[in-house]
Amino acid sequence: MKKLWLVVLVCFLLVGCTEIKNLSIDEIVDKVVSSSTKLTNQYRTGYKYYVPRGLRVDDNEEYNEELSSSNYKYYLYIDAVSYYNKVNEEYKVNTNAYYSKEIKYKDNTGYLEINVYNDKYLVEMMYNYAKIEVIVDEPDIKEVVLNSITILSSIQYNDQIINNLMGENILEFSEVEIDIFTTKKIDSKYIEYDEEYGTSDEEIDVSDAGLLE
């Protein structure tokens, strides 16, 4: 059944953006996190992950990365301290949000919360000890959710490297640690970026969401 859903989702993505609208946000998230597909094309100190086609890495520094598509900017935070300490906090569904969901699969937990911001939507997704924030137009919410959960679920940590880094620099890492377990709603670094630069109206390329072999 899992393989069948993977095939179906890939078919949707190959055909284009119209068909992906037939999937619910719940289905997109649940089927991607439960997929056994593991791809990587980005390699960092202590972790690696997959960037779907149509996205590019613009900057990365100290477990903070900026990625972009043709019209959206993604802020990715890797919480190496929480991974090292195996911290897990329970997410309480926000009934006031546009969308709110707790994500659970095996030993990984997280959440997806979407809140209205002016005429756009702030997507906050945390999973696998990492978090992504994106401001998006409503018609593209599902595409951004798909890209985000693909990235987060693809992250693979190198325990040996992280253990060495934490042992040597635990105080330094703690000082710059991002609280990925708490939603920011409108108190977001990306809000500041969006207000200053805005977003373009070009079409997003999501023909490959990290599930194609």
Side-chain angles (χ1 to χ4, degrees):
M1 189 64 181
K2 187 183 299 183
K3 291 182 178 179
L4 177 61
W5 263 105
L6 179 59
V7 171
V8 172
L9 188 52
V10 169
C11 290
F12 279 133
L13 296 173
L14 286 173
V15 172
C17 298
T18 302
E19 284 73 13
I20 198 174
K21 295 179 181 178
N22 296 327
L23 294 173
S24 69
I25 294 177
D26 281 354
E27 287 174 325
I28 292 172
V29 173
D30 293 342
K31 302 310 173 183
V32 172
V33 298
S34 62
S35 170
S36 58
T37 302
K38 291 295 181 182
L39 299 176
T40 54
N41 56 16
Q42 302 295 316
Y43 303 89
R44 307 287 186 262
T45 302
Y47 66 99
K48 58 184 178 180
Y49 69 100
Y50 183 76
V51 174
R53 187 169 57 187
L55 291 175
R56 65 180 180 273
V57 178
D58 295 328
D59 189 28
N60 69 87
E61 183 178 0
E62 294 183 351
Y63 294 85
N64 296 325
E65 308 212 10
E66 294 181 14
L67 303 89
S68 61
S69 65
S70 57
N71 59 339
Y72 296 121
K73 204 161 188 70
Y74 295 63
Y75 283 91
L76 169 63
Y77 310 99
I78 306 294
D79 191 346
V81 174
S82 291
Y83 176 80
Y84 175 75
N85 292 313
K86 295 299 182 286
V87 175
N88 276 308
E89 294 188 16
E90 184 176 352
Y91 171 73
K92 183 177 181 180
V93 171
N94 179 7
T95 57
N96 295 319
Y98 172 84
Y99 180 91
S100 179
K101 172 186 176 66
E102 182 180 23
I103 305 173
K104 281 187 176 181
Y105 183 70
K106 294 184 177 179
D107 295 330
N108 280 331
T109 62
Y111 61 83
L112 169 60
E113 185 168 312
I114 304 173
N115 285 284
V116 178
Y117 174 70
N118 291 337
D119 59 343
K120 296 181 182 294
Y121 295 80
L122 171 61
V123 175
E124 297 182 75
M125 181 181 290
M126 192 282 287
Y127 184 70
N128 197 18
Y129 296 100
K131 182 178 182 180
I132 286 180
E133 296 177 11
V134 190
I135 287 180
V136 60
D137 294 318
E138 186 174 18
D140 299 321
I141 286 177
K142 291 181 181 179
E143 296 161 3
V144 166
V145 167
L146 178 57
N147 279 333
S148 298
I149 191 59
T150 298
I151 293 170
L152 294 178
S153 62
S154 75
I155 297 172
Q156 300 176 53
Y157 295 95
N158 186 312
D159 289 340
Q160 183 176 356
I161 293 177
I162 289 181
N163 289 343
N164 290 338
L165 288 173
M166 293 299 105
E168 295 174 359
N169 305 296
I170 187 64
L171 293 179
E172 178 181 343
F173 275 101
S174 297
E175 290 176 357
V176 298
E177 181 182 1
I178 302 296
D179 184 6
I180 64 171
F181 297 99
T182 303
T183 57
K184 297 179 181 178
K185 297 180 175 61
I186 63 171
D187 182 21
S188 168
K189 178 181 178 182
Y190 192 30
I191 294 291
E192 298 173 4
Y193 177 91
D194 181 67
E195 288 179 338
E196 183 174 357
Y197 299 105
T199 54
S200 74
D201 295 323
E202 298 177 20
E203 182 181 358
I204 301 176
D205 178 7
V206 292
S207 57
D208 176 357
L211 299 176
L212 303 181
E213 298 192 13

